[in-house]
Each structure stands twice: as C-alpha cells, then as structure tokens.
Amino acid sequence: MKLKTALMGAVATAALGQMAYADAHEGERGRDGEVKIIYWQAPSILNPFLSGGTKDIEAASLVIEPLARYNETGELTAWLVDEIPTVSNGGVSEDLTSITWKITEGLKWSDGSAFTSADVAFTYEYCTDPESGCAQLTKFDGVSSVETPDDLTVVVNFEGPTPFPYGPFVGGESPILQAAQFADCMGAKAPECTDENFGPIGTGPFVVTDFRTNDVIQMVANENYRDASKPAFASVTFKGGGDATAAGRAVMETGEFDYAWNLQLAPDVIATMQEGGLGTPVAGFGPLVERIMLNNTNPDPSLGDDQRSVVRPHPFLGDPAVYKAMSMAIDRPLLVEVGYGQAGKVTCNWVPAPAAVNSDTFTCDVQDIAGANAMLDEAGYLDTDGDGVREANGVPMQILYQTSTNAVRQDFQALIKEWWSEIGIEAELRNIDASVFFGGDPGSPDTFQKFYADVEMYANTFNGTDPQAYLGNGLCDKAPSPATQWQGENISRFCDPAYDQLHAQLTATADADERAAIARQLNDLMVEQGGMIPLVHRGRLSAHANSLGGVNLNVWDSELWNIADWYRTGDNR
C-alpha cells in the first residue's frame, strides 16, 4: 500500500518540493554542503555518445547538457536556449527542413570559456563521424548539416521535411561536448580519450574532480554555472556498485545516502525499507519496459567475435512458432506480482507509453503452456530422444539466457527457465555485473550490445514523449558491430526492410494521430517479427532522503535533470 501511495503521489510530492524551494530556499551556491547519490549500476563513462547505458547517461547529465530537455510532464523545455523553436515563432522553417536554435547569451563552460554554436556543430560532427561508433546516432538521422551563422545561432538542416525536428541536441542522451576538449577525440580515437570521457567539461551544475570507473565519482559545484545561487550543494559523491537492496537501505534505513536510483526490488522489500523512516520512494510510469531480446544472429562462439555480429539466421529463434511459443509460456501477471507489484503492469509492447502509441494488437496476460506446446508440435519441433528437450534439425533447443545481476531479474530468470522447460526448451542462465553488462566497453565480451547469448533481458527507455528516435533503434543499420565500436541500439540485430520503410514514413509525417498510428505499427512489427518478447511495463522507482528537497522525478529525461534545484531541508522524519 505504501508503494502504491508513492506511485499515486509522485507528482504531488514533486510539486510540494518545488513550492517549498520557491518559497523558502534561496542563497549562495554550495550552501548545503555535500549530497550523496548511489547508483547500484555503477557508471563506467561520462560520455553518453559512447554508451547507451542509462547509468552513464544520467551521471553525465550533472555535467554536460543539451540545448533543450523534457520536464517531469514530458513537456519540451528550453535549457541552454531562449525558447523552443516552432513554426509559429519562426524557429522551424515553413517547409520543415530546418530548425534554428538561439543560444542564451552569456553561457560559459565550467573552465570559464564561452559556450558557442561551434560547440554544438562540433558535437554533430563528433557523433556522425563514421568511425566513432556513436551510441546516439539515431538522434541525428536525417540531418544534412549543422550551420553556425554566429556564435549564438545553430541551424540544423534536414534532408527533407522533418515534422519532429527535436532529435538532435535534445534530452540527456544528446548533450553538447566542448569542441576544444574533444577536438583530438574524433572517429576511431573517441574511446581512447580517457581523460575527456571520464571528466568532460560542461555547462551543468557540477564539475568532475575524480572518476573511478565502476566505483565513485567526485564532483564539486560549477563556479561558472549560469545561476549564481545554484547548485545548493558544494559537492557530490556519486557512488556506484553494490545492489539495489543495499542502495535502498542506504537512503531509507541508514541515511548514508541522499538519493538511490532504480530500486528494482519487490514491493514488500520497498515497504519494509520505508519503515526505516529516513527516506521516501518516488515513482512514475514512462516508457520503461523489461523485455527479452531475441538474438537474430547465430551467437555460436566458434564463429569468432566479428562473425557473431553478422546478421545471419539463428538456428531456431527466427521461427515465429518458436518465439511466439516462448512468449505464450510466460506468466506475466506473476512476474509483475513477484517483481514489481504496483510499480509494474503486464505489457505486450515495446513502447507502452505515452498512451497514444500503446498498441492494442496483442494480448499476453494469460499463460498458455498447452497452446505453446501445440504450436511447437505443429511446427515440427519434437523431442525425439525423450530427454525433455525438443530438437531443431537434430540440434537440441538449448539457449543461453543472460541478464544483469539483480535479485528481481534472477527471480525472473528462474521462473522463465522453468516455464520454457515445460515446452521443451532448455535455458542456461547467466548473470553479469550490471556495471559491466551496461558499460559499453568495446573490449568486453559481456556487454548487452555484443549480445553473446541467445536471449538477454533488460529494460531501457527514451527521452521525451515522441518515440521516433527510439523506434529508430530497430533500423537495420543500427546494429552494433566491430565497425561501430560495438555501439548502436539495435541489440537483437533485427532487420526488416518493411520496418525501415515505415520508419522513414514516420520521419516525414506531421499529423500527431498519424504519427501515433505509425509508431504502433512499428511496435507491432518489432514484436511480431521476433525482435523481442516484452514482459513488464515498469514504473521508475527511486528514493530520496526526507532531508532532500527539490527532487522532481522525471520519467521522460534524466532522473537527475533538475539536480541544480535540489537542497537540504533539515527534515529527517
């Protein structure tokens, strides 16, 4: 019940926090000392262009910022610019082929130098360099050039009419890099620039003083931040690692930390922690979905690293009868109950939010073991030797099922392994430390991008309320490979020309209802054609100390989007 109350009251709590800040909290920068944040998935880099991991993107958001971002209601908000460009205010051309951003005058980088349009243009060149392996390349799809008529003007030109021009430089996934700092980090050199990637110069409220990968980040207030009264905190200790249970306890029971992210824990565990009296869970539903990705390639280790990234048929996962039977065997309501309670909902969709794009094509809320077995029988997958495992062309249907190390995910693995065994598919379970799994290290064999398994389970989301760029992660050319430094978000190596064609149609469609309809069709293609098996629509659940004010949970951007507004209240009840 306490968790349900937290979910229902998240917006009200945020509003009260903001009112308290506005009414009673002004003063000098750094007046409230240290704030301590814990992300049990430890950041491994502070450059979102070299990592698709949420932990890395959010940690970086304290330092580097986009031109515009989304607030807690999903509304596009000017950040480093005077206003959001639109057709009506002249910022977007009548033919929809360009958008002009007007940078706010007087902005400085943390090193004291001027923030200019040249930095914005450089960021475009940096990400679109064909050898860089940029993880956020979909943000720049359709961009033909970025012009800088003067120091405070950025013109983004598109290859054709672009009804939604807010992909480049918008949201925590597409911040601005300082050209002077990253000038020698272009192309293939990008992942080699350790100092730059671990300590980017930014316009955000904090500056990195020490970065220990997969461990601790130390930051101090940016003395050149645009608001002289912010941030209220003089320093940040950003601790990474451990597990969700320890993180939740550190805020709600022991008071060691002020903010704990992504408390992927059973609802009764959260309720018990809250009884500690030192912290409050905050939650909200965005587009976050726990899913099982289906490998559209053959992950056989004998093929070698490069060959394992080549899109070629999987021995049996490419058959609709197989992945549909695997989906039918799953009891999603039980997964919700066991793993998330009020913070979860059954979903059959890749993109369940906002509501306009949530497809009603599929139903998956009833487990059907008998139907799954019948489907596999009819498709000719039989257990000919009586060992309980079906064969595909004489090869046992055995799969490697991997995910990150987390109590809820391991519970899910155990349940799903059992259900799949009931339909004659044997699963070997593997879990990998989350900091490694989501780390994006091109040299590691254990990242979710490399996907050296048959299926893998995780969740991710996107910034904003328009899913165009996110749906672009299903395009054929967005598959991670050695040529992209193993970056890219088409993790399953899904490739369907019909999908690519439909996505191109989305980029050229202006009408909101038509865009939503196309988004639903793209969702359906991804699920129907075997890109993934969606499981649970997850609420974003974190916790903050009762003494921490100004927290405003945002499911449409970085959770740390307004950390410049955080402050100490003294309330520790």
Side-chain angles (χ1 to χ4, degrees):
M1 180 60 68
K2 289 183 179 180
L3 182 56
K4 183 176 182 180
T5 300
L7 278 163
M8 295 177 65
V11 174
T13 300
L16 288 172
Q18 290 298 92
M19 289 172 62
Y21 180 82
D23 293 343
H25 206 81
E26 293 183 2
E28 295 183 358
R29 175 181 296 141
R31 58 193 170 271
D32 287 338
E34 180 186 29
V35 63
K36 300 179 74 173
I37 300 169
I38 184 167
Y39 271 45
W40 58 272
Q41 292 180 12
S44 55
I45 195 170
L46 291 178
N47 183 349
F49 296 110
L50 298 183
S51 174
T54 303
K55 62 189 178 61
D56 301 324
I57 293 167
E58 299 210 348
S61 71
L62 279 69
V63 180
I64 51 178
E65 304 176 301
L67 297 182
R69 66 185 339 146
Y70 297 90
N71 66 17
E72 75 280 7
T73 66
E75 178 186 11
L76 197 56
T77 303
W79 211 252
L80 301 179
V81 292
D82 294 334
E83 64 180 351
I84 299 299
T86 64
V87 173
S88 61
N89 66 22
V92 175
S93 64
E94 292 284 349
D95 63 1
L96 307 180
T97 60
S98 69
I99 182 171
T100 300
W101 298 92
K102 292 291 186 178
I103 296 171
T104 300
E105 188 173 0
L107 296 178
K108 293 183 178 180
W109 290 102
S110 59
D111 65 359
S113 61
F115 175 90
T116 74
S117 58
D119 297 299
V120 182
F122 170 82
T123 301
Y124 164 71
E125 298 293 342
Y126 175 90
C127 184
T128 57
D129 187 299
E131 295 184 348
S132 71
C134 182
Q136 309 299 338
L137 196 57
T138 56
K139 305 298 184 298
F140 299 97
D141 275 354
V143 176
S144 59
S145 65
V146 175
E147 299 176 354
T148 55
D150 58 58
D151 284 350
L152 299 181
T153 304
V154 177
V155 181
V156 181
N157 297 304
F158 298 95
E159 296 168 353
T162 304
F164 187 81
Y166 307 111
F169 317 121
V170 175
E173 298 166 340
S174 190
I176 312 304
L177 300 179
Q178 188 193 58
Q181 184 185 28
F182 282 85
D184 295 328
C185 301
M186 296 286 286
K189 294 181 180 179
E192 300 173 5
C193 290
T194 302
D195 290 345
E196 293 82 357
N197 294 329
F198 286 3
I201 294 169
T203 56
F206 293 98
V207 177
V208 178
T209 57
D210 186 41
F211 183 98
R212 302 176 192 174
T213 184
N214 298 330
D215 187 7
V216 177
I217 310 169
Q218 298 291 344
M219 303 183 190
V220 297
N222 176 6
E223 291 302 318
N224 288 299
Y225 189 61
R226 53 192 173 274
D227 187 327
S229 67
K230 300 178 182 179
F233 291 102
S235 63
V236 177
T237 294
F238 198 116
K239 180 71 174 74
D243 55 52
T245 301
R249 286 175 175 163
V251 171
M252 292 186 279
E253 293 183 2
T254 69
E256 298 170 79
F257 284 84
D258 297 300
Y259 192 87
W261 164 85
N262 188 25
L263 298 183
Q264 195 176 355
L265 299 165
D268 59 328
V269 175
I270 295 292
T272 299
M273 288 179 180
Q274 192 176 359
E275 291 174 358
L278 298 180
T280 303
V282 289
F285 279 96
L288 184 67
V289 169
E290 190 79 13
R291 84 291 295 270
I292 292 173
M293 303 300 291
L294 302 166
N295 202 332
N296 279 227
T297 72
N298 187 347
D300 186 342
S302 67
L303 292 172
D305 289 355
D306 290 357
Q307 288 300 306
R308 292 165 88 177
S309 69
V310 174
V311 177
R312 56 160 57 83
H314 186 279
F316 53 84
L317 280 181
D319 188 337
V322 174
Y323 57 75
K324 289 181 180 181
M326 292 168 69
S327 179
M328 291 165 62
I330 296 171
D331 186 343
R332 288 173 176 81
L334 182 57
L335 294 182
V336 170
E337 179 184 347
V338 167
Y340 301 101
Q342 295 291 334
K345 305 174 184 177
V346 169
T347 188
C348 315
N349 294 324
W350 176 24
V351 187
V357 302
N358 186 32
S359 173
D360 60 2
T361 299
F362 309 113
T363 57
C364 60
D365 56 350
V366 177
Q367 183 185 42
D368 187 2
I369 296 290
N373 274 310
M375 181 175 289
L376 291 171
D377 288 344
E378 185 176 352
Y381 297 102
L382 305 175
D383 174 16
T384 60
D385 57 11
D387 65 353
V389 180
R390 296 175 186 268
E391 292 95 32
N393 298 317
V395 178
M397 296 179 73
Q398 298 169 324
I399 59 175
L400 177 60
Y401 175 10
Q402 71 180 19
T403 188
S404 63
T405 304
N406 170 275
V408 171
R409 287 193 169 131
Q410 269 66 81
D411 286 345
F412 277 25
Q413 278 187 307
L415 287 168
I416 293 171
K417 172 184 171 74
E418 174 60 30
W419 294 328
W420 284 347
S421 74
E422 294 179 34
I423 63 171
I425 297 176
E426 183 178 46
E428 175 189 348
L429 304 183
R430 181 175 185 237
N431 64 81
I432 302 164
D433 182 271
S435 300
V436 175
F437 188 64
F438 296 113
D441 179 0
S444 171
D446 297 323
T447 64
F448 80 111
Q449 294 100 328
K450 283 196 174 176
F451 198 176
Y452 287 169
D454 299 280
V455 300
E456 65 181 11
M457 181 172 64
Y458 63 90
N460 69 2
T461 184
F462 59 92
N463 287 176
T465 56
D466 188 283
Q468 177 179 306
Y470 187 65
L471 290 165
N473 291 330
L475 298 172
C476 295
D477 64 355
K478 299 303 183 291
S481 71
T484 67
Q485 306 279 358
W486 293 103
Q487 296 297 338
E489 290 294 317
N490 185 349
I491 304 302
S492 66
R493 277 78 171 179
F494 174 88
C495 186
D496 183 347
Y499 186 98
D500 284 23
Q501 184 176 3
L502 190 58
H503 190 269
Q505 183 181 338
L506 175 63
T507 66
T509 299
D511 181 80
D513 290 340
E514 292 180 14
R515 287 179 65 80
I518 295 172
R520 293 193 298 269
Q521 293 175 57
L522 288 165
N523 172 92
D524 293 353
L525 274 175
M526 174 63 71
V527 176
E528 180 70 22
Q529 298 302 320
M532 69 179 69
I533 299 174
L535 300 173
V536 178
H537 180 193
R538 284 175 46 192
R540 295 272 288 270
L541 178 65
S542 297
H544 66 82
N546 293 335
S547 63
L548 186 63
V551 175
N552 202 341
L553 185 72
N554 189 339
V555 298
W556 308 109
D557 208 305
S558 167
E559 280 193 27
L560 306 177
W561 72 293
N562 76 327
I563 193 169
D565 296 334
W566 291 8
Y567 59 94
R568 187 71 67 195
T569 67
D571 181 4
N572 205 32
R573 292 174 294 172

